[in-house]
Amino acid sequence: MKEHKIKLTTPEISSLWKTYMQNISNLYVFKHFMHNIQDLEIKPLIERQIYLSQTFVDKIRQIFQSENFPIPKGFSDDDLDSYAPALYTDLYGLSYVYRFNQMAFSDYATVITKVAREDIVDFFYECLNSSGKLFKKALNLMLSKGIYDRPPKMPYPRQVEFIHKRDSLLETWFGEHRPLNALELGEIFYIIERNYIGILMLMGFIQVMHDKEIKDYLIRGKDLAEKQIEIFNKILKDEQHLGNLPVSMEVTDSTVSPFSDKLIMFLVAASTTAGLYLCAYAMSLSFRKDLALHYGSLMVDIMRYGEEGIKIMIKRGWLEQPPQSFDRKTLFENI
């Protein structure tokens, strides 16, 4: 019996396209770290990340070629100045490996539930396993170097309890608040952590950016990240938890940009999209209405910031459009 080739579904197309863009953009960030790395413990992790990102990009390119599907333009060596001095310290490079794989690992796990063609499922399983292993190595090295701030701790409950009073869980607009639960504490910690890492990234971009419009945009992004840290650290302190403190990862004094303005804007746009998604996720796990209010307000701010960035990218011809379906309505109207 003749075997018919199964075409890619829309979730498979979108997942491959997104994974391609994520990896090819960050590939040049990791290449910059590699050009300047001094720490011999961190160097193998950067090397491994470059290998994985390049491998994933090459495999997706092969899949698209076999499907006669347009290969995304993405980014190239033109978007990296290989001779630029280090913009960040080695420890920040390590944290970037940690953060990239933390996000990618979660993304690949979600993608696997949406794809069905055997070769695509196998590919994303490979992505998931490889990224998970590298994330674990980065996490362990951060712990050994003392730059991983552990999430808040809490006394273990003595027994299982059920909620018998609605006010104790939901009605927290006014009056006394119930203590934060474990789900809420964990999400607050990770929002603060990723915004610290984001601020450092933006600080580097700001000091090497010469385009005034983009520089002003990056400064507003830094202000927005600082606002989130301030809000959630205050919540932790009001609840008698220690606020999260910045760790010893730094930006150098370089004023030479390793990256093209186009790549910088893409990285910020991708980070903004991730921030919006993760705020929504944290909101879905929070039962206290005051937390929901903070998350909702911040999501509006993040969406407005992201929209402003998209306008800048469109104006400059930098925004690559995701794969689109046919406008059947227009086709029908022209018949």
Side-chain angles (χ1 to χ4, degrees):
M1 181 181 291
K2 185 177 179 181
E3 187 174 317
H4 296 280
K5 187 174 182 181
I6 302 172
K7 286 193 172 184
L8 296 170
T9 63
T10 49
E12 290 163 351
I13 291 171
S14 62
S15 298
L16 289 167
W17 187 89
K18 180 182 177 184
T19 300
Y20 185 96
M21 295 297 287
Q22 285 175 335
N23 278 278
I24 201 168
S25 58
N26 282 281
L27 176 62
Y28 292 100
V29 178
F30 291 115
K31 283 186 175 182
H32 171 66
F33 290 137
M34 193 65 201
H35 288 318
N36 298 283
I37 195 77
Q38 300 294 318
D39 191 305
L40 297 181
E41 290 183 298
I42 299 174
K43 185 176 180 179
L45 275 65
I46 302 291
E47 289 177 331
R48 179 63 177 168
Q49 182 63 68
I50 290 173
Y51 171 79
L52 288 179
S53 290
Q54 187 66 65
T55 299
F56 297 162
V57 164
D58 291 343
K59 288 189 175 182
I60 295 172
R61 188 180 287 124
Q62 290 171 7
I63 293 170
F64 281 156
Q65 285 174 338
S66 69
E67 296 288 330
N68 293 317
F69 195 93
I71 297 171
K73 184 174 177 61
F75 300 91
S76 68
D77 291 343
D78 293 337
D79 294 293
L80 176 67
D81 181 356
S82 300
Y83 298 100
L87 185 55
Y88 303 98
T89 62
D90 290 354
L91 291 178
Y92 185 76
L94 172 59
S95 77
Y96 202 92
V97 175
Y98 159 81
R99 181 66 184 141
F100 178 77
N101 285 284
Q102 183 188 55
M103 294 298 300
F105 185 74
S106 175
D107 200 30
Y108 297 147
T110 301
V111 165
I112 287 172
T113 68
K114 298 178 180 178
V115 299
R117 208 173 86 175
E118 186 176 7
D119 60 328
I120 307 302
V121 173
D122 290 344
F123 170 70
F124 280 110
Y125 260 107
E126 178 189 350
C127 294
L128 181 69
N129 292 330
S130 300
S131 293
K133 289 176 182 177
L134 189 52
F135 169 76
K136 185 178 179 181
K137 288 181 179 179
L139 174 60
N140 289 338
L141 190 53
M142 288 178 72
L143 286 167
S144 71
K145 289 181 177 291
I147 64 166
Y148 181 80
D149 189 11
R150 291 181 181 273
K153 297 180 178 62
M154 60 181 286
Y156 294 168
R158 296 182 179 180
Q159 61 188 19
V160 174
E161 295 183 4
F162 289 87
I163 298 167
H164 299 289
K165 185 180 178 184
R166 182 172 179 264
D167 291 0
S168 67
L169 181 67
L170 299 174
E171 301 300 330
T172 54
W173 287 115
F174 307 104
E176 293 186 6
H177 291 164
R178 63 158 175 79
L180 293 166
N181 63 38
L183 295 173
E184 293 160 344
L185 280 168
E187 290 306 313
I188 287 174
F189 166 80
Y190 286 114
I191 282 182
I192 294 172
E193 179 196 58
R194 60 179 170 262
N195 275 285
Y196 271 135
I197 294 175
I199 284 174
L200 289 170
M201 181 183 74
L202 287 166
M203 285 174 61
F205 292 166
I206 289 166
Q207 73 183 37
V208 299
M209 180 56 62
H210 300 291
D211 185 300
K212 186 178 186 308
E213 182 183 30
I214 297 177
K215 188 168 189 171
D216 289 343
Y217 178 71
L218 298 175
I219 291 171
R220 288 193 291 277
K222 177 174 171 287
D223 291 342
L224 180 56
E226 289 172 343
K227 177 182 177 181
Q228 294 180 63
I229 291 172
E230 182 180 351
I231 287 172
F232 290 107
N233 258 337
K234 184 178 185 304
I235 291 172
L236 289 179
K237 291 175 182 177
D238 288 347
E239 302 275 335
Q240 303 302 311
H241 292 280
L242 292 176
N244 289 12
L245 301 174
V247 293
S248 57
M249 298 176 290
E250 299 174 358
V251 181
T252 70
D253 60 357
S254 173
T255 57
V256 179
S257 181
F259 313 118
S260 68
D261 293 354
K262 174 187 172 184
L263 178 55
I264 286 174
M265 285 298 297
F266 180 88
L267 293 168
V268 173
S271 179
T272 302
T273 300
L276 182 61
Y277 164 76
L278 291 167
C279 256
Y281 178 74
M283 185 176 181
S284 73
L285 296 178
S286 299
F287 294 100
R288 273 182 34 172
K289 287 185 177 179
D290 61 324
L291 290 182
L293 181 63
H294 286 306
Y295 286 129
S297 175
L298 287 171
M299 286 168 64
V300 171
D301 291 343
I302 294 169
M303 283 190 286
R304 287 174 178 165
Y305 181 73
E307 182 180 6
E308 185 181 350
I310 287 172
K311 288 179 180 178
I312 293 173
M313 295 173 74
I314 291 174
K315 182 172 69 174
R316 296 171 186 241
W318 292 344
L319 189 62
E320 190 165 344
Q321 183 167 266
Q324 300 288 303
S325 179
F326 291 110
D327 186 347
R328 295 189 182 276
K329 183 177 180 181
T330 302
L331 291 175
F332 292 158
E333 289 173 351
N334 292 333
I335 293 176

